[in-house]
Amino acid sequence: MAKGLIWATADDLARNKGHVLSLYRQILRSLNSPELPLTWAARLSKKAEARSIFLVASEERSVHNIADLIDVAEHTLSLLRKGQIPKLPLI
C-alpha cells in the first residue's frame, strides 16, 4: 500500500483483492476441518460469522485498518489450521 497515505487508493484495493479472497476461501475451508471440535450447526454459525465480517470489512478504506484486518485474518487462519477455535470472533 502507498506509504504516507491514510486512505486506500483504487490500486491499493485492487492489489489486496486476490489476497483477501484467498484468505476468505481458506478460512471457510478450514472451518470444515474434522480436527475442529464443532457441531454442524456451530460450523454453519462460524461460516456465517466469517462471511458477515468479510462483508463489513469490504467497505473499509483506511490503509492501516485494511492491513490490520489482513493480519487478523492470517492469525485466525493459523489457529484454525492448528485445530484451535479463536476465543474472540473469527476476524
Side-chain angles (χ1 to χ4, degrees), residues 49-61:
E49 181 183 340
R51 283 186 191 104
S52 65
I53 290 170
F54 272 89
L55 183 66
V56 170
S58 69
E59 300 297 321
E60 185 58 55
R61 296 294 178 248

Side-chain angles (χ1 to χ4, degrees):
M1 289 191 217
K3 298 290 182 194
L5 295 178
I6 295 174
W7 304 110
T9 63
D11 291 336
D12 293 333
L13 297 175
R15 196 174 310 120
N16 286 323
K17 184 177 181 180
H19 184 62
V20 171
L21 285 174
S22 175
L23 285 170
Y24 173 67
R25 287 188 204 114
Q26 290 176 46
I27 287 174
L28 289 181
R29 224 177 282 130
S30 294
L31 286 170
N32 280 332
S33 172
E35 295 176 11
L36 294 176
L38 294 173
T39 63
W40 182 71
R43 285 181 202 280
L44 289 178
S45 173
K46 289 291 186 185
K47 285 181 182 182
E49 181 183 340
R51 283 186 191 104
S52 65
I53 290 170
F54 272 89
L55 183 66
V56 170
S58 69
E59 300 297 321
E60 185 58 55
R61 296 294 178 248
S62 167
V63 172
H64 299 94
N65 289 349
I66 291 170
D68 288 344
L69 287 166
I70 289 172
D71 289 343
V72 171
E74 289 171 346
H75 177 70
T76 298
L77 185 58
S78 71
L79 288 176
L80 289 171
R81 286 184 174 158
K82 292 178 190 173
Q84 300 172 359
I85 301 170
K87 303 283 186 233
L88 299 174
L90 284 175
I91 299 203

